[in-house]
Amino acid sequence: MKKLFKNFKLILIFVISWFVIHTTYIVIDGSSDNGEKADVAVILGNKVNEDGTLSTRLEKRLETGIELYKSQRIKKILVSGGFGKEGFSEGDKMKEFLVKNSIPDSVVLIDNYGNNTRSTVENTLKFREKYKFKSIIVVSQYFHVTRTKKLFEDRGVENVSSASPRYFEWRDLYSIVREFPAYYTQ
């Protein structure tokens, strides 16, 4: 029994250490912006409120995309999100916000079928075939970009970097914990 308990304890220490190292890595990686330029920024969707306004988290992602465009780091913006239970297509609402904030209509591509991260990656690859972009900047919350970049890289996209808004909420703690298993299962 003592040996079983000792083995369990070692496994638990290993899993906790792995979690801490992994989480530290995704926070550092997701918070880093190497300043690279790219053909397109892929902005992942988030909640649109019941009144049609954007959640603060989504607004901050879009503001990051606006900054990338205005600083001439990207040529196009691909907004990707699904149809929410609130009754709005995230992509359409995201484009509306960008256009209202001086981004030319012709710059914004819409994916209204990006219901999850994997769907966004798959749909982006279809846009990539049509628009021939070779480099991507992923725009999402800091804890989410490492997994998103990995999914793109797993699909053969070599030039993937990221930018994330400087916006933090208490629910980020839950999201960081959620990213640990999601990284290894998606």
Side-chain angles (χ1 to χ4, degrees):
M1 192 68 160
K2 267 187 175 180
K3 187 173 181 170
L4 181 65
F5 181 73
K6 185 178 179 183
N7 287 339
F8 176 75
K9 188 175 168 183
L10 287 173
I11 291 169
L12 186 62
I13 289 170
F14 173 76
V15 170
I16 291 170
S17 299
W18 180 19
F19 172 79
V20 169
I21 291 167
H22 174 91
T23 300
T24 301
Y25 173 74
I26 67 167
V27 169
I28 291 170
D29 179 55
S31 299
S32 301
D33 180 352
N34 59 14
E36 287 190 28
K37 291 184 175 187
D39 296 326
V40 66
V42 178
I43 305 176
L44 285 85
N46 203 269
K47 182 179 168 105
V48 175
N49 298 315
E50 290 178 7
D51 64 359
T53 60
L54 306 181
S55 63
T56 304
R57 181 178 282 209
L58 184 53
E59 266 190 31
K60 296 300 181 186
R61 291 179 188 185
L62 293 166
E63 289 169 0
T64 300
I66 292 167
E67 289 173 29
L68 292 171
Y69 182 76
K70 288 186 175 179
S71 64
Q72 300 179 345
R73 289 182 53 196
I74 56 169
K75 299 170 190 159
K76 293 266 187 199
I77 299 173
L78 172 60
V79 292
S80 180
F83 187 81
K85 63 183 179 193
E86 299 79 15
F88 300 99
S89 293
E90 291 173 9
D92 292 337
K93 297 302 281 184
M94 293 164 73
K95 180 175 183 171
E96 183 181 301
F97 180 89
L98 291 171
V99 171
K100 281 183 182 175
N101 285 278
S102 304
I103 300 298
D105 184 82
S106 61
V107 168
V108 185
L109 307 171
I110 301 174
D111 166 25
N112 276 322
Y113 300 99
N115 296 319
N116 57 45
T117 307
R118 182 171 295 284
S119 296
T120 292
V121 169
E122 296 298 325
N123 297 340
T124 299
L125 295 175
K126 293 173 187 169
F127 278 94
R128 182 180 180 212
E129 288 175 23
K130 181 176 180 179
Y131 292 96
K132 308 293 183 209
F133 48 82
K134 294 180 171 75
S135 52
I136 295 171
I137 297 177
V138 171
V139 179
S140 189
Q141 301 317 113
Y142 65 96
F143 52 79
H144 189 218
V145 296
T146 302
R147 176 166 56 101
T148 307
K149 290 189 309 186
K150 179 185 181 301
L151 286 169
F152 276 116
E153 290 163 357
D154 288 351
R155 293 300 312 269
V157 180
E158 294 177 11
N159 297 317
V160 183
S161 58
S162 62
S164 60
R166 301 289 175 228
Y167 175 72
F168 307 94
E169 299 175 298
W170 281 107
R171 83 177 219 177
D172 289 359
L173 298 174
Y174 159 77
S175 299
I176 290 169
V177 171
R178 184 193 70 201
E179 281 301 308
F180 180 70
Y183 183 87
Y184 297 101
T185 58
Q186 271 205 334

